[in-house]
Amino acid sequence: MSDPRTNAGSRPVAVVTGGARRLGRHLCMALAARGYDVVILYRDSETEARALAQHIVDSGGRARTLRVDVAHEAQVAAVFADISAHEGRVDLLVNNVGNYNPQHVTKLNPAVWDATLAANLSGAYYCCFHTLAQMGSGGSIINIGMAGLEGIRANVHGADYYVSKTGLLVLTRALAAAYAEQNIRVNMVSPGQLDNSIDLPSPGEITQWVPLGRAGGLQDIAQAVEYLLDATYVTGVNIDVAGGYRL
Ligand SMILES: NC(=O)c1ccc[n+]([C@@H]2O[C@H](COP(=O)([O-])OP(=O)(O)OC[C@H]3O[C@@H](n4cnc5c(N)ncnc54)[C@H](OP(=O)(O)O)[C@@H]3O)[C@@H](O)[C@H]2O)c1
C-alpha cells in the first residue's frame, strides 16, 4: 500500500527485505498474524508486494510496501528514513534477500561476484546499519542464512553465495555481541533444501542428504523465526532448519 500513515507507536514494526514473494512473503504474513505492522520491501515485484499488503490488510493487519535495491546504500538509507517518518520505529528486521547462483566457480566473473556480495552481504549490512540507528533499546534482527555454514566444506557451485552467507554469519555474531547491552538480539535462521528450491533433488535423492527425509516448507522457517522472537535470552545463534542436513 503506498498511502502513508503514522504508527502511533503502540504496535511493533517488522521490516522484511525481499518480502513480496516466496519465503519473504510467508514471513510477512506470519509476522502480521503475530501483530506486527509489516513493511514489505521489494525490488521488482511491485504487483506481488501490493497484493500481499492488501491481503494482510484484508486479514485485519497493517502493511506498507516500499521499493529498494538493497545493494545501493543510498536507497536503503532513504527507505529507512521513510520508515522513521511513517512507522516511527523498527522492532524487527528480517534480512531475507539472498540471491543464489549455482554457477561453477570456474565460470564466475567479477560482475556476478560483486552483484551477489552487494545484495546478500552488503545489502544486509546496510539494512542492519540503518535499523540499528533507529532501534534504540530492545529489538531483534534475523538474518536468513543457509544450512551447513558451520564447518562449511568446498562446494564448486555457488561459491559467491556461500561466501556471502558465511560473511552474514560473521556479521550476525559481531552485531549480537556489540548490541547485546542495548537488548538488541541478532540471530540467523538457515534453511536447508526448501520444497520451493530452484534445484530441488528428487524425493529419493533428498533422503541421501536429509535425515528427516523431506524438503523443508516455508512454515518450518517461519517457526524458527517465531521461536527467536519469543526467545528473549537467545542472541548470536544460527539455527539450521534443514532436517538434519550434514549430520
Ligand atoms: N529457497 C531455498 O531453498 C533456500 C535454501 C536455503 C536458503 N535460502 C535463503 O532464504 C532466503 C529466501 O529465499 P527465496 O528462495 O525465497 O528467495 P528469492 O526468491 O531468491 O529472493 C527473494 C527476494 O529477494 C529480492 N531481491 C533480490 N535481490 C535484491 C536486491 N538487490 N534488492 C532488494 N531485493 C532483492 C527479490 O525481490 P523482487 O522480486 O521484489 O525483486 C526476491 O523476490 C534467501 O536468503 C535464501 O538464500 C533459501
Side-chain angles (χ1 to χ4, degrees):
M1 316 288 302
S2 57
D3 50 308
R5 46 111 192 90
T6 302
N7 185 310
S10 57
R11 291 165 58 98
V13 173
V15 179
V16 180
T17 72
R21 299 170 55 241
R22 291 164 59 83
L23 177 59
R25 180 179 192 277
H26 191 87
L27 294 179
C28 286
M29 291 195 297
L31 294 170
R34 277 181 74 100
Y36 282 90
D37 280 15
V38 181
V39 181
I40 304 161
L41 301 186
Y42 69 94
R43 181 190 53 183
D44 297 330
S45 299
E46 180 174 1
T47 304
E48 292 89 340
R50 284 173 174 266
L52 173 58
Q54 190 61 57
H55 174 74
I56 289 171
V57 169
D58 291 346
S59 306
R62 302 214 298 197
R64 199 162 74 91
T65 65
L66 288 171
R67 188 193 176 280
V68 64
D69 184 336
V70 297
H72 296 280
E73 197 271 335
Q75 291 187 29
V76 175
V79 152
F80 279 91
D82 186 306
I83 292 168
S84 177
H86 292 111
E87 279 75 18
R89 57 192 281 180
V90 178
D91 298 273
L92 168 66
L93 166 69
V94 180
N95 275 312
N96 169 66
V97 168
N99 295 324
Y100 175 49
N101 159 39
Q103 205 163 27
H104 195 276
V105 67
T106 59
K107 306 290 183 209
L108 260 178
N109 63 57
V112 172
W113 173 273
D114 287 349
T116 305
L117 272 289
N120 297 8
L121 181 56
S122 297
Y125 169 69
Y126 302 152
C127 291
C128 288
F129 178 84
H130 290 286
T131 292
L132 289 164
Q134 61 178 288
M135 213 167 223
S137 183
S140 183
I141 294 175
I142 297 177
N143 295 318
I144 304 298
M146 51 141 260
L149 280 179
E150 328 242 359
I152 195 166
R153 299 172 60 194
N155 187 335
V156 292
H157 294 101
D160 51 340
Y161 177 77
Y162 296 124
V163 168
S164 73
K165 293 294 189 182
T166 304
L168 194 55
L169 177 58
V170 172
L171 179 66
T172 300
R173 290 178 173 154
L175 294 178
Y179 286 89
E181 65 181 354
Q182 284 176 233
N183 195 29
I184 294 172
R185 298 180 301 111
V186 187
N187 292 293
M188 177 174 263
V189 171
S190 288
Q193 194 84 56
L194 295 183
D195 55 17
N196 70 359
S197 172
I198 59 171
D199 53 5
L200 186 67
S202 69
E205 286 172 320
I206 283 246
T207 54
Q208 291 174 19
W209 302 100
V210 179
L212 286 179
R214 65 169 176 88
L218 299 180
Q219 73 283 358
D220 294 313
I221 311 305
Q223 200 173 54
V225 166
E226 296 208 47
Y227 162 74
L228 286 172
L229 295 177
D230 291 331
T232 55
Y233 197 51
V234 174
T235 194
V237 305
N238 172 37
I239 302 176
D240 270 11
V241 184
Y245 174 65
R246 289 227 171 124
L247 279 178

